[in-house]
């Protein structure tokens, strides 16, 4: 593999460290060259590291492009990797001439790069914004930057993330802690806690916040020392600010520090107060030395710091929160050590130089494989997925997540487009392209160039909700067939279909489908009643059976953040809005009270549709005599699954709450409001309390007692049943992939 890196060459800080360390490490595995478009410190350091670097500085961008083309022709590079505005411009020009794939690393918010120079902003800045649209692939140095690109309508399937990384085996110190302090003529007591920040003294670094927090800390603990390592345009004003806060004996400005590792080794707490960042190396350097860390919540720092677990995050400029976190660590030596160990463990796993290099090599291989496959033109898709997506419903989100994940188990680079009410959110969460579900002209244009249309998940073919929704989903299927796409109804529930015209229309359209998979037997019977017999039909299982829960430690943290003791045993409840709400809410409240009083176990209400379900939950809690608990924040699919996993039994109305429970062996009592719930309960052999309109406390109490008393045997049966259902759920994806491959 031969890769050519292009960079302006005037880079400093994180971008400089990222590129030099990455290219140097890549050179151990592949043939890589770095071209800098200027001389200076960047190029000099590259030479010192032994990097294969050429300086291309001809005088004009046109002759620069010509020189780069000559190098590519002579040395045979397969891929161009650009960094920054000028490099992007050259790379796009070279791509146009050679056809080579181009990937660019986005080290900063490109819209903010030249705000302090209006001439460059309207020249380099504007040209770069245009050039970026013609680049093939993008790398963000944090999830935050990837999300930024997705929100600006770059295709998420062409965006990757490569975290900054450092060498966790390299820790050479020229000076001890005592030697470093002595060099700067500092003499502290042995037990003094030292808090440090390593940053340019520039407004964006938020050093004023650091000083304001220091003043608050010193009021309570005058022995704490603060070291500021770095120089810049704000130094004099910051020194005056420190003096005005009477911090002369506590805050020390060291100026530019040539020995960053010695500085980090000296301090006890590492701090970052930036107003904006990508992913700063000063934080990673702190993790190398297992330093407790506090940072403003900017850029991709939250990818590393799980606040209150392995460090603390605060909002930019919130000096009071920063001071509070400082005091917490100052007053607790054991906590400092524990957090230092935890952040080191996470950083060395995910943010090492080796991990950064391996991730980058994987991206290169991916790009080269894609570039060799010229059959699928740009903006053409292997699969278009339609469903009730983008409506903040955990059940539908679960189906979409599972469909995408399962399809990519068959082939990881499938090009997928989702029709969604909220395309930006869908792109960001699921790493697929997405367009608005009612943009019919664009949908039609895309269908003409794509392979498989998936009517995916849920009970889409029904008129219980409305005839309008039925016509929409049937219309999408009809349109897909008219544009010669293969069509699959993917793990659907079918029915009820109450109106004669709707039944006739469904029979006409669905008989044109290529394959139908169903999530339970009840839906198969409905198809038989409709005389739908032209497509292949398979009874499989809901895709949500394949989803994995978040790790238990994270779930414990989520519960704690909502004021719920994660060690408390619970019976879970999943409810939803219903017409006859007062009677049914009262019955559920009485059952919850009965559980608390009889079993001595707490009740936990879990919303599946946010925030709609919370209204009903609050109503039920207000009717209870005993204290019930509720999840009030919106959580992801895997987090919700993990929360349900903390319960010992689930009483559920929402279908996917019941499916989630079954998938992880939690016994359930279902409350039926539509045939799909009844169908699933029979399919999974779980108890039913009957229809929501006819709930009676005494009858429901008996059913709940029976499930609770037999929960261990039910759990064993579920473990066996769900293993089979998971296999059936995966069959959906294999059927879909066969349709794509045989298109």
């Amino acid at each position: 593999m031969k890769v050519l890196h292009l960079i302006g060459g005037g880079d400093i800080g994180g971008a400089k460290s990222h590129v030099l360390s990455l290219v140097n490490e890549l050179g151990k595995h592949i043939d890589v060259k770095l071209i800098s478009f200027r001389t200076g410190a960047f190029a000099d350091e590259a030479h010192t590291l032994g990097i294969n670097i050429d300086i291309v500085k001809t005088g004009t961008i046109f002759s620069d492009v010509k020189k780069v083309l000559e190098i590519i022709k002579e040395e045979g590079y397969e891929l161009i990797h650009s960094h920054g505005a000028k490099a992007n411009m050259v790379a796009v020009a070279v791509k146009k001439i050679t056809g080579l794939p181009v990937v660019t690393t986005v080290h900063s918010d490109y819209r903010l790069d030249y705000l302090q120079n209006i001439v460059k902003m309207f020249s380099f800045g504007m040209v770069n914004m245009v050039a970026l649209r013609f680049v093939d692939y993008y790398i963000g140095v944090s999830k935050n930057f990837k999300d930024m690109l997705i929100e600006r309508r770059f295709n998420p399937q062409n965006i990757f993330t490569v975290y900054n990384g450092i060498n966790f085996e390299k820790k050479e110190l020229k000076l001890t802690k005592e030697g470093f302090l002595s060099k700067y003529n500092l003499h502290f007591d042995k037990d003094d806690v030292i808090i440090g920040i390593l940053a340019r003294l520039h407004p964006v670094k938020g050093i004023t916040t650091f000083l304001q927090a220091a003043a608050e800390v010193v009021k309570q603990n005058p022995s704490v020392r603060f070291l500021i390592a770095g120089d810049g345009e704000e130094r004099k004003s910051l020194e005056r600010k420190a003096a005005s806060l009477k911090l002369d004996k506590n805050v020390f400005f060291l100026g530019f520090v040539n020995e960053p590792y010695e500085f980090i080794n000296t301090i006890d707490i590492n701090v970052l107060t930036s107003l904006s960042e990508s992913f700063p190396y000063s934080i990673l350097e702190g993790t190398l030395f297992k330093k407790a860390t506090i940072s403003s919540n900017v850029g991709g720092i939250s990818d590393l710091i799980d606040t209150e677990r392995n460090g603390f995050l605060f909002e930019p400029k919130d000096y009071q929160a920063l001071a509070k976190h400082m005091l917490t660590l100052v007053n607790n030596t054991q906590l400092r050590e524990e957090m230092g160990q935890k952040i080191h463990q996470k950083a060395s796993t995910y943010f090492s130089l080796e991990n950064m290099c391996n991730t980058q090599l994987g991206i290169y291989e991916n790009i080269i494989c894609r570039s060799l496959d010229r059959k699928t033109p740009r903006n053409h898709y292997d699969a278009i997925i339609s469903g009730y997506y983008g409506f903040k419903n955990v059940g539908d989100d679960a189906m979409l997540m599972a469909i995408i994940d399962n399809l990519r188990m068959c082939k990881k680079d499938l090009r997928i487009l989702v029709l969604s009410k909220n395309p930006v959110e869908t792109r960001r969460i699921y790493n697929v392209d997405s367009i608005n579900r009612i943009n019919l002209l664009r949908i039609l244009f895309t269908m003409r160039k794509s392979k498989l249309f998936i009517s995916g998940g849920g009970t889409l073919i029904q008129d219980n909700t409305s005839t309008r929704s039925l016509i929409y989903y049937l219309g999408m299927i009809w349109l897909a067939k008219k544009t010669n796409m293969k069509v699959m109804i993917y793990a659907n529930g079918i029915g009820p279909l109450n109106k004669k015209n709707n039944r006739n229309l469904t029979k006409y359209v669905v008989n044109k489908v290529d394959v139908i998979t169903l999530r339970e037997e009840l839906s198969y019977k409905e198809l038989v009643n409709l005389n739908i017999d032209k497509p292949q039909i398979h009874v499989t299982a809901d895709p949500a059976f394949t989803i994995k829960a978040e790790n238990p430690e994270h779930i414990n943290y989520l519960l704690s953040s909502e004021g719920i003791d994660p060690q408390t045993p619970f019976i879970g409840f999943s409810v939803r809005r219903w017409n006859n709400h007062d009677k049914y809410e009262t019955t559920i409240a009485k059952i919850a009270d009965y559980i608390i009083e009889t079993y001595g176990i707490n009740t936990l209400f879990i919303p599946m549709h946010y925030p709609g379900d919370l209204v009903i939950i609050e109503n039920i809690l207000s009717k209870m005599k005993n204290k019930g608990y509720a999840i009030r924040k919106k959580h992801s699919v895997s987090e919700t699954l993990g929360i349900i996993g903390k319960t010992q039994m689930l009483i559920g109305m929402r279908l996917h709450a019941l499916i989630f429970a079954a998938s992880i062996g939690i016994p359930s009592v279902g409350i039926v409001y539509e045939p799909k719930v009844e169908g699933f309960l029979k399919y999974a052999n779980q108890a039913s309390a009957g229809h929501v309109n006819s709930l009676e406390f005494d009858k429901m109490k008996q059913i709940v007692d029976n499930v609770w008393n037999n929960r261990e045997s039910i759990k064993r049966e579920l473990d066996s049943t769900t293993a089979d259902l998971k296999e059936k759920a995966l069959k959906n994806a294999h059927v879909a992939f066969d349709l794509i491959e045989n298109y």
Side-chain angles (χ1 to χ4, degrees):
M1 187 187 301
K2 299 193 74 170
V3 180
L4 183 64
H5 282 250
L6 308 179
I7 192 165
D11 304 82
I12 59 174
K16 173 187 171 185
S17 299
H18 178 96
V19 175
L20 290 178
S21 58
L22 175 62
V23 173
N24 190 40
E25 189 71 13
L26 287 171
K28 300 174 184 177
H29 305 275
I30 62 173
D31 189 343
V32 60
K33 170 172 275 191
L34 178 62
I35 288 179
S36 173
F37 294 108
R38 73 171 74 176
T39 58
F42 180 91
D44 293 342
E45 189 169 337
H47 278 299
T48 302
L49 290 169
I51 291 172
N52 178 12
I53 182 170
D54 282 356
I55 309 297
V56 174
K57 189 179 180 185
T58 63
T60 71
I61 193 167
F62 301 105
S63 52
D64 284 351
V65 169
K66 183 179 178 182
K67 181 63 178 175
V68 172
L69 287 168
E70 290 172 0
I71 292 171
I72 291 171
K73 185 176 180 181
E74 290 172 7
E75 301 182 27
Y77 290 97
E78 304 169 81
L79 174 65
I80 301 166
H81 188 159
S82 58
H83 305 264
K86 184 171 183 180
N88 291 338
M89 295 177 223
V90 173
V92 168
V94 170
K95 171 198 165 187
K96 185 71 175 174
I97 296 167
T98 64
L100 290 177
V102 174
V103 59
T104 183
T105 295
V106 180
H107 295 277
S108 61
D109 184 343
Y110 58 88
R111 291 181 178 175
L112 307 178
D113 282 347
Y114 299 107
L115 285 182
Q116 295 176 332
N117 188 322
I118 195 166
V119 174
K120 287 187 176 181
M121 183 172 68
F122 284 102
S123 54
F124 279 105
M126 293 297 290
V127 174
N128 184 42
M129 280 193 267
V130 174
L132 282 168
R133 295 291 170 178
F134 291 91
V135 170
D136 301 300
Y137 304 97
Y138 310 86
I139 295 171
V141 293
S142 68
K143 183 179 180 296
N144 176 273
F145 274 30
K146 180 176 181 177
D147 290 347
M148 174 190 76
L149 292 171
I150 291 171
E151 288 168 5
R152 293 176 186 175
R153 299 187 179 278
F154 290 87
N155 189 335
Q157 294 173 114
N158 297 333
I159 306 171
F160 306 93
T161 303
V162 175
Y163 294 108
N164 287 339
I166 61 174
N167 187 348
F168 278 85
E169 296 178 0
K170 181 180 179 182
K171 193 166 66 172
E172 299 173 2
L173 294 173
K174 298 176 183 176
L175 296 172
T176 63
K177 175 178 179 178
E178 292 74 19
F180 182 85
L181 290 173
S182 179
K183 177 180 177 179
Y184 289 92
N185 199 29
L186 298 173
H187 304 284
F188 301 154
D189 290 341
K190 183 180 178 181
D191 295 329
D192 287 351
V193 176
I194 303 173
I195 301 176
I197 186 168
L198 179 62
R200 285 181 297 119
L201 305 189
H202 182 279
V204 76
K205 298 299 181 180
I207 308 297
T208 299
T209 304
F210 184 79
L211 294 176
Q212 291 171 316
E216 294 297 313
V217 171
V218 169
K219 288 177 185 177
Q220 297 190 43
N221 192 332
S223 67
V224 180
R225 310 297 178 180
F226 300 86
L227 300 185
I228 299 174
D231 213 341
E233 61 199 66
E234 273 207 316
R235 177 161 182 174
K236 288 185 179 178
S237 64
L238 289 169
E239 287 177 336
R240 289 194 295 270
K241 178 70 173 177
S244 71
L245 293 170
K246 298 182 177 161
L247 293 171
D248 308 68
K249 295 180 180 179
N250 295 84
V251 173
F252 303 90
F253 290 83
L254 306 185
F256 181 76
V257 171
N258 286 312
E259 315 89 4
Y261 280 5
E262 280 74 10
F263 171 78
I264 296 293
N265 182 56
T266 298
I267 64 178
D268 299 297
I269 301 168
N270 190 27
V271 174
L272 184 92
T273 54
S274 295
L275 309 182
S276 175
E277 281 286 357
S278 55
F279 197 99
Y281 271 87
S282 64
I283 290 291
L284 282 181
E285 288 164 347
T287 69
L288 178 63
F289 289 86
K290 302 180 181 178
K291 299 298 179 180
T293 306
I294 308 172
S295 175
S296 50
N297 190 7
V298 292
I301 295 172
S302 61
D303 295 341
L304 170 63
I305 297 179
D306 304 308
T307 192
E308 298 185 14
R309 294 168 65 194
N310 65 358
F312 289 107
L313 294 174
F314 66 95
E315 293 308 307
K317 298 185 179 182
D318 188 350
Y319 70 89
Q320 292 178 325
L322 173 57
K324 178 184 174 184
H325 296 323
M326 285 177 171
L327 284 165
T328 297
L329 291 172
V330 164
N331 297 328
N332 193 330
T333 305
Q334 183 179 349
L335 182 62
R336 289 203 304 271
E337 292 176 355
E338 288 176 358
M339 284 195 164
Q341 289 283 353
K342 286 179 180 178
I343 200 167
H344 172 83
Q345 183 179 17
K346 183 171 182 179
S348 60
T349 302
Y350 298 104
F351 299 88
S352 68
L353 182 58
E354 181 183 12
N355 192 67
M356 178 172 74
C357 178
N358 289 338
T359 303
Q360 187 67 74
L361 288 170
I363 291 169
Y364 289 158
E365 290 171 2
N366 189 324
I367 290 171
I368 289 173
C369 285
R370 287 202 212 178
S371 67
L372 293 174
D373 183 9
R374 303 286 185 180
K375 295 177 184 177
T376 304
R378 189 169 182 163
N379 295 326
H380 295 204
Y381 299 93
D382 295 303
I384 298 175
I385 304 176
S386 170
Y388 191 72
Y389 305 130
F391 290 87
K392 300 185 184 298
N393 185 296
V394 174
D396 294 292
D397 291 347
M399 287 183 288
L400 180 58
M401 175 180 169
I403 291 170
I404 292 168
D405 288 349
N406 294 346
L407 285 174
R408 284 183 169 160
M409 288 172 64
C410 300
K411 185 181 178 183
K412 67 178 181 180
D413 293 328
L414 282 178
R415 294 177 58 81
I416 297 171
L417 175 77
V418 175
L419 309 184
S420 172
K421 184 190 177 187
N422 190 337
V424 172
E425 184 180 74
T426 299
R427 290 189 201 107
R428 181 177 57 81
I429 295 174
Y430 303 105
N431 201 35
V432 294
D433 205 357
S434 181
I435 59 177
N436 195 293
R437 70 200 299 269
I438 60 172
N439 189 340
L440 295 181
L441 287 177
R442 192 170 174 194
I443 292 170
L444 177 60
F445 174 80
T446 307
M447 282 178 170
R448 287 175 174 171
K449 304 173 183 180
S450 302
K451 296 179 180 179
L452 174 65
F453 182 84
I454 293 175
S455 186
T459 308
L460 306 180
I461 311 302
Q462 51 85 23
D463 61 7
N464 210 38
T465 304
S466 71
T467 296
R468 185 175 60 184
S469 68
L470 174 67
I471 290 173
Y472 171 82
Y473 293 115
L474 292 177
M476 289 294 105
I477 292 170
W478 180 83
L479 206 58
K481 290 307 298 181
K482 281 295 181 182
T483 53
N484 296 317
M485 292 186 75
K486 294 279 189 181
V487 175
M488 175 180 176
I489 293 178
Y490 191 114
N492 269 209
I494 306 293
L497 289 158
N498 300 305
K499 298 177 182 177
K500 183 178 179 180
N501 288 341
N502 290 344
R503 294 177 69 84
N504 291 336
L505 180 63
T506 298
K507 177 184 175 182
Y508 172 76
V509 174
V510 173
N511 259 326
K512 297 180 181 296
V513 168
D514 296 279
V515 178
I516 300 171
T517 59
L518 304 168
R519 63 188 182 191
E520 23 75 9
E521 292 285 349
L522 194 65
S523 295
Y524 178 75
K525 292 177 182 177
E526 185 68 12
L527 285 184
V528 171
N529 290 335
L530 289 166
N531 293 318
I532 294 172
D533 54 9
K534 300 292 191 300
Q536 297 179 42
I537 301 174
H538 308 275
V539 178
T540 56
D542 195 288
F545 274 101
T546 64
I547 294 171
K548 294 181 179 179
E550 268 287 357
N551 70 75
E553 184 181 358
H554 180 67
I555 299 302
N556 288 346
Y557 167 72
L558 293 180
L559 291 172
S560 296
S561 71
E562 298 223 30
I564 299 170
D565 182 357
Q567 305 308 319
T568 300
F570 288 106
I571 287 180
F573 283 80
S574 167
V575 294
R576 57 159 290 161
R577 187 185 300 274
W578 192 249
N579 293 333
N580 188 19
H581 63 88
D582 189 62
K583 179 184 175 184
Y584 124 76
E585 288 171 5
T586 300
T587 303
I588 297 297
K590 288 175 69 176
I591 286 292
D593 280 326
Y594 172 77
I595 286 168
I596 294 168
E597 293 164 2
T598 306
Y599 308 151
I601 188 170
N602 287 304
T603 55
L604 180 65
F605 288 81
I606 305 165
M608 296 292 287
H609 187 279
Y610 188 89
D613 289 356
L614 278 176
V615 177
I616 309 304
I617 289 171
E618 297 296 349
N619 287 348
I620 293 171
L621 290 174
S622 69
K623 296 175 187 290
M624 289 174 58
K625 295 182 294 182
N626 299 286
K627 179 178 174 59
Y629 294 86
I631 300 296
R632 290 184 168 84
K633 297 178 183 176
K634 186 178 186 301
H635 297 292
S636 70
V637 171
S638 54
E639 288 170 342
T640 303
L641 178 58
I643 291 168
I644 289 175
K646 298 289 288 186
T647 66
Q648 296 186 20
M649 183 172 84
L650 181 81
I651 298 171
M653 192 171 177
R654 288 278 185 189
L655 174 63
H656 275 90
L658 295 166
I659 290 173
F660 281 2
S663 72
I664 49 179
I666 305 295
S668 299
V669 176
I671 300 171
V672 177
Y673 71 95
E674 278 190 351
K676 63 182 181 181
V677 177
E678 181 183 2
F680 171 74
L681 292 172
K682 289 180 179 177
Y683 198 45
N685 196 27
Q686 293 298 287
S688 171
H691 197 277
V692 61
N693 286 337
S694 57
L695 284 186
E696 294 179 3
F697 171 71
D698 289 334
K699 181 180 177 182
M700 189 172 180
K701 180 181 71 171
Q702 292 176 0
I703 295 166
V704 169
D705 281 341
N706 184 57
V707 173
W708 176 255
N709 293 329
N710 293 283
R711 62 189 183 280
E712 293 303 325
S713 62
I714 295 171
K715 182 175 176 59
R716 287 193 296 271
E717 183 182 344
L718 273 174
D719 289 342
S720 173
T721 302
T722 55
D724 180 55
L725 291 175
K726 287 175 183 177
E727 285 297 318
K728 288 182 177 180
L730 287 171
K731 182 180 177 181
N732 296 308
H734 293 300
V735 170
F737 185 66
D738 286 344
L739 289 172
I740 293 170
E741 288 291 278
N742 296 318
Y743 179 75

